[in-house]
Amino acid sequence: MSSIAVDLGEASTMELVNAASSIAAELASRVAPESPAACMELTESLAAASDMHEAAISGFVGVVDRSREVQRWGFPSTRSWLRNRLGMRESRAKERLTLARQRDRLPEVTKRWATGDLSLGYAATIAGAVTRLDGEDCRAAEGILLGMVDREFSAGKVASFGRRIGDLIAERDGTDRAPAEARHGYERSWVDSTRSLDGGRYIKGWLNAEDAALWEGTLGPLAKPAGTDDHRDLSERTAAALTGVLANGHRATKVTVICDLDTLTGGTAPARLPDGTPIPAEQARRIALNAGVSPLLLGRGNLPLYLGRTERFATPAQRRVLETLYSTCAVHGCHVPGTLCEIDHVDGWALGSPTDIDKLALTCGWHNRYKHSNPDGLKITKSPDGRYTYRLPPPGLRTLGRTAPPAERPPPWSEAA
């Protein structure tokens, strides 16, 4: 077996690349360990290292692209070189080239990516979002999207916000302007409808936050798949849901807006939707007064939120409170929507946990069963707003159906685990 000795501080970039290549070749030839837990831990560690390798590649590609070196070798473009010489698919070549061209405009992203604090997926998402922004807006977008990463939004969620990053910057700075076809601006909702030649209609428009909440509350539940045989995409299901409502086939609208009492009584503190979308105070007050929308009081109030040991199953009122606290499963890193989760007794019903609102959380079905089978396999913390966070130990510390015995347990997991 060959050995490699490299002084990281003194080695040239070429020597480091050669050493990394040799290690990668040796690692690729190894047989994977038999332990699934070990393979999970190794995969996570190697993926993080691969992301840092990608950060280095991005720098190399940037130099090649700026110098137009590829033309000397007969390639019409850098993307063509990436596709033909490195065997990349078109989408992958485009993503890598975008990262290379935007890294100098995203200093914080580049720094965090190179140190392993940001994954390739997040870096690529942010780079793709800023390609058409000027320098000032690029800096603003970097801060907004990194803030979402720090709040543990999934890469998919960051990508969806990234596609409308110009609107987000305008909303933050109060400089939003309506497009040419939006004659009423962004204060009032608007919808344009144009008849097609075959008798159908094309529809486009924009809804303000208040109307968007009604849209989500009414159509969201109706647009879910009807079953395993429902092969319609989300757009088709939404159209069917809208048609059902217009045909008067559905009357119940559920909209949840979270706000302080001061907001409802004239204050200026913004409210929010369960997914975190901010709602101006005046719009929250209009929603509270809107027929068919009832306020949700987060407290003992008139709702039976504290049932003690008299009832095992939570009430619909308790579930509505929990859905305002948990947009996703309580397990750190699990993105199953809270509306699809089960209600969990934090300390375990069988162990004496009461059915009180401050002793309940939302977990997906899988993690609910995992917690029941591994009562000591989760670290549970509670934030000042009353939300519980369940954290799994690193993969190497888990065993099937049990946790490691006391003698094998490491120090308490860090909050970043």
Side-chain angles (χ1 to χ4, degrees):
M1 181 180 295
S2 60
S3 61
I4 299 176
V6 178
D7 185 331
L8 298 181
E10 298 295 331
S12 66
T13 301
M14 181 62 74
E15 289 172 332
L16 291 176
V17 169
N18 289 338
S21 299
S22 298
I23 293 173
E26 178 64 28
L27 188 58
S29 66
R30 297 285 183 95
V31 176
E34 294 183 358
S35 167
C39 286
M40 284 182 66
E41 185 175 11
L42 291 171
T43 298
E44 292 178 4
S45 298
L46 188 57
S50 297
D51 285 347
M52 288 187 280
H53 284 168
E54 288 284 354
I57 290 174
S58 175
F60 300 156
V61 173
V63 173
V64 172
D65 184 58
R66 288 191 298 272
S67 67
R68 304 183 64 83
E69 176 68 12
V70 295
Q71 278 79 5
R72 293 185 56 245
W73 297 85
F75 297 100
S77 66
T78 304
R79 192 187 302 182
S80 173
W81 169 63
L82 293 171
R83 289 199 313 267
N84 292 281
R85 192 65 176 266
L86 278 71
M88 295 184 188
R89 293 176 298 174
E90 172 65 23
S91 59
R92 185 68 185 89
K94 181 180 179 181
E95 178 185 82
R96 184 168 276 176
L97 184 57
T98 299
L99 282 164
R101 289 176 174 175
Q102 301 301 321
R103 57 181 284 122
D104 291 340
R105 304 177 71 218
L106 298 167
E108 186 62 23
V109 167
T110 301
K111 176 183 176 182
R112 292 178 58 172
W113 183 22
T115 57
D117 188 41
L118 192 70
S119 71
L120 169 63
Y122 282 123
T125 295
I126 297 173
V130 304
T131 53
R132 292 181 175 85
L133 301 180
D134 60 26
E136 183 177 352
D137 283 351
C138 179
R139 289 189 292 273
E142 182 182 34
I144 292 172
L145 296 178
L146 282 178
M148 295 183 66
V149 173
D150 293 336
R151 294 197 301 274
E152 301 178 352
F153 281 77
S154 67
K157 193 74 170 179
V158 175
S160 66
F161 275 82
R163 284 190 288 271
R164 53 181 291 266
I165 189 63
D167 294 338
L168 288 177
I169 294 171
E171 290 169 8
R172 189 198 68 169
D173 297 341
T175 60
D176 47 323
R177 292 180 300 175
E181 67 268 30
R183 294 178 299 277
H184 299 297
Y186 281 107
E187 294 183 0
R188 291 179 289 178
S189 300
W190 59 272
V191 173
D192 281 342
S193 174
T194 306
R195 184 179 293 277
S196 64
L197 296 177
D198 60 2
R201 281 191 174 274
Y202 295 104
I203 298 174
K204 65 178 178 179
W206 183 86
L207 300 178
N208 62 27
E210 178 181 352
D211 294 338
L214 293 171
W215 173 282
E216 292 294 337
T218 303
L219 299 185
L222 300 177
K224 293 179 181 178
T228 56
D229 295 330
D230 189 350
H231 300 300
R232 300 172 299 170
D233 60 23
L234 178 59
S235 298
E236 293 171 329
R237 298 196 306 270
T238 300
L242 178 60
T243 301
V245 172
L246 294 176
N248 214 23
H250 182 79
R251 295 177 180 272
T253 299
K254 173 187 171 184
V255 178
T256 299
V257 176
I258 306 162
C259 63
D260 297 330
L261 179 61
D262 179 65
T263 298
L264 290 181
T265 56
T268 59
R272 64 180 176 87
L273 298 178
D275 66 357
T277 302
I279 298 289
E282 61 273 14
Q283 291 186 355
R285 288 191 284 272
R286 286 200 297 269
I287 291 176
L289 295 173
N290 192 11
V293 180
S294 60
L296 174 61
L297 305 178
L298 299 182
R300 298 177 184 269
N302 296 321
L303 297 177
L305 305 182
Y306 294 81
L307 306 180
R309 296 284 295 175
T310 62
E311 296 286 344
R312 175 171 183 175
F313 298 105
T315 65
Q318 288 176 315
R319 180 169 190 95
R320 288 195 64 194
V321 172
L322 292 171
E323 288 181 2
T324 67
L325 289 173
Y326 298 88
S327 58
T328 61
C329 172
V331 175
H332 177 76
C334 180
H335 301 293
V336 174
T339 54
L340 302 180
C341 287
E342 301 172 359
I343 295 178
D344 175 58
H345 288 78
V346 176
D347 298 324
W349 169 261
L351 300 178
S353 181
T355 309
D356 290 348
I357 192 63
D358 53 4
K359 290 294 184 180
L360 300 175
L362 292 182
T363 56
C364 67
W366 193 93
H367 280 124
N368 200 350
R369 293 188 292 274
Y370 177 89
K371 179 173 177 284
H372 177 74
S373 302
N374 301 266
D376 297 325
L378 293 167
K379 179 184 178 182
I380 301 176
T381 57
K382 187 177 182 181
S383 62
D385 64 1
R387 189 184 192 280
Y388 289 95
T389 299
Y390 298 175
R391 294 180 183 273
L392 295 169
L397 304 181
R398 304 177 203 167
T399 55
L400 185 60
R402 68 176 184 89
T403 54
E408 299 176 8
R409 289 180 188 170
W413 314 308
S414 68
E415 290 298 316

